[in-house]
Amino acid sequence: MIQLSTSVCLLGGLFLIAPVLMAPTLANMCRPLKTLNDSLSHRRRYMKHNFPINYTIRVHHKEIFKLSNISKMRLNVEELDNLVLQRLWFQVNQGVLKKIIRVMPERHPSRPYTAELERRFRDAEGVFVESHPAEVFQQELPDTIQDIWDGLTEEPDRVPDSSWRFASPKSLLDNFCHTMFCLFSECFASTEAPQDYCDVSHWRKGRKKDLQPES
Ligand SMILES: *[C@@H]1O[C@H](CO)[C@@H](O)[C@H](O)[C@H]1NC(C)=O
Ligand SMILES: *[C@@H]1O[C@H](CO)[C@@H](O)[C@H](O)[C@H]1NC(C)=O
Ligand SMILES: *[C@@H]1O[C@H](CO)[C@@H](O)[C@H](O)[C@H]1NC(C)=O
């Protein structure tokens, strides 16, 4: 702690605007996550235009993991560590990517895109795991989070019918992207215009500017 504040003073003295300080473990994540964001920024073309209109795939309802879920969990789960949500984010989106890839024939025009997206996601996950002591991943999860985890890792044939939902690949990647900005917001912070990426209305505004009637 003492060391940290010394470096804050030093930085504050050296630069007019002190850069946002973050834990070194999170700093490691920023490069792979930015690379992932570069891929995700093409999701409309590859996940919407290359699929039939209104195309949906079947996912577990817990794989629909949106900003509203995060805010609800933060309200309802006491002392919820962001790291727990980050672990959940990796778990959810690993399943989402697998399900999207599974429905695409070998020659589907979005296949190379999705394969690269998955590769980049794995890279980020590798850095995430390396950046934390192994004990972190053995820590007990809060009950509500453990229940979600169990639902996600259940054998598909043991999942009750009522737990399945249909969602478009594009909407799943929208969730993937928006929750990434929220849970790793330090990596996407902008000095000129600070954003609250966890705020649902942030993305609603973005959509209007898009001038796309339906996304
Ligand atoms: C994500 O990537 C796109 C394309 O490279 C870029 O325009 C956008 O600013 C990035 N978003 C953030 C929050 O860094
Ligand atoms: C797609 O879904 C929208 C909204 O549910 C519906 O109005 C439209 O007719 C559908 N388009 C096709 C081609 O099925
Ligand atoms: C997010 O909320 C929806 C309903 O609001 C729910 O169906 C889904 O299971 C939730 N996702 C997670 C990961 O809890």
Side-chain angles (χ1 to χ4, degrees), residues 52-55 214:
I53 294 171
N54 293 351
Y55 183 80
E214 254 275 302

Side-chain angles (χ1 to χ4, degrees), residues 80-210:
L80 181 57
D81 193 344
N82 207 37
L83 187 66
V84 166
L85 289 173
Q86 291 172 344
R87 286 173 62 192
L88 187 61
W89 181 84
F90 277 107
Q91 183 66 31
V92 165
N93 288 299
Q94 172 196 313
V96 164
L97 285 174
K98 215 190 271 174
K99 289 195 169 72
I100 295 177
I101 289 173
R102 201 178 297 150
V103 298
M104 294 193 309
E106 206 63 52
R107 291 163 172 276
H108 191 283
S110 293
R111 189 96 197 201
Y113 168 81
T114 317
E116 171 155 278
L117 187 65
E118 198 196 23
R119 207 158 39 240
R120 291 177 169 191
F121 177 73
R122 295 248 169 249
D123 287 347
E125 192 178 27
V127 175
F128 181 67
V129 171
E130 276 169 27
S131 311
H132 296 92
E135 301 88 78
V136 161
F137 299 100
Q138 280 135 30
Q139 257 160 32
E140 225 175 283
L141 295 167
D143 289 345
T144 11
I145 308 295
Q146 186 64 52
D147 287 347
I148 296 172
W149 201 280
D150 293 344
L152 290 168
T153 49
E154 184 66 281
E155 291 292 330
D157 51 357
R158 297 189 50 197
V159 173
D161 283 347
S162 60
S163 291
W164 296 111
R165 297 286 182 279
F166 285 91
S168 72
K170 164 74 166 44
S171 76
L172 292 166
L173 287 201
D174 285 347
N175 296 342
F176 180 132
C177 186
H178 297 170
T179 49
M180 173 178 80
F181 286 150
C182 168
L183 295 176
F184 300 93
S185 55
E186 286 88 341
C187 291
F188 299 100
S190 142
T191 35
E192 305 106 61
Q195 316 268 1
D196 182 3
Y197 291 118
C198 294
D199 181 356
V200 181
S201 66
H202 169 82
W203 300 102
R204 293 224 186 90
K205 270 184 267 153
R207 274 168 70 158
K208 269 184 213 144
K209 266 186 272 163
D210 240 6

Side-chain angles (χ1 to χ4, degrees), residues 39-103:
S39 286
L40 284 167
S41 64
H42 302 293
R43 65 188 181 278
R44 181 189 297 277
R45 175 170 165 207
Y46 290 104
M47 288 291 137
K48 189 177 166 86
H49 298 168
N50 284 352
F51 282 92
I53 294 171
N54 293 351
Y55 183 80
T56 58
I57 63 173
R58 197 180 73 150
V59 295
H60 193 286
H61 74 96
K62 306 279 192 203
E63 284 170 328
I64 299 180
F65 181 44
K66 309 189 206 198
L67 291 178
S68 55
N69 294 98
I70 293 178
S71 42
K72 246 184 266 163
M73 289 177 200
R74 283 182 172 157
L75 272 178
N76 297 333
V77 183
E78 247 177 86
E79 292 183 41
L80 181 57
D81 193 344
N82 207 37
L83 187 66
V84 166
L85 289 173
Q86 291 172 344
R87 286 173 62 192
L88 187 61
W89 181 84
F90 277 107
Q91 183 66 31
V92 165
N93 288 299
Q94 172 196 313
V96 164
L97 285 174
K98 215 190 271 174
K99 289 195 169 72
I100 295 177
I101 289 173
R102 201 178 297 150
V103 298

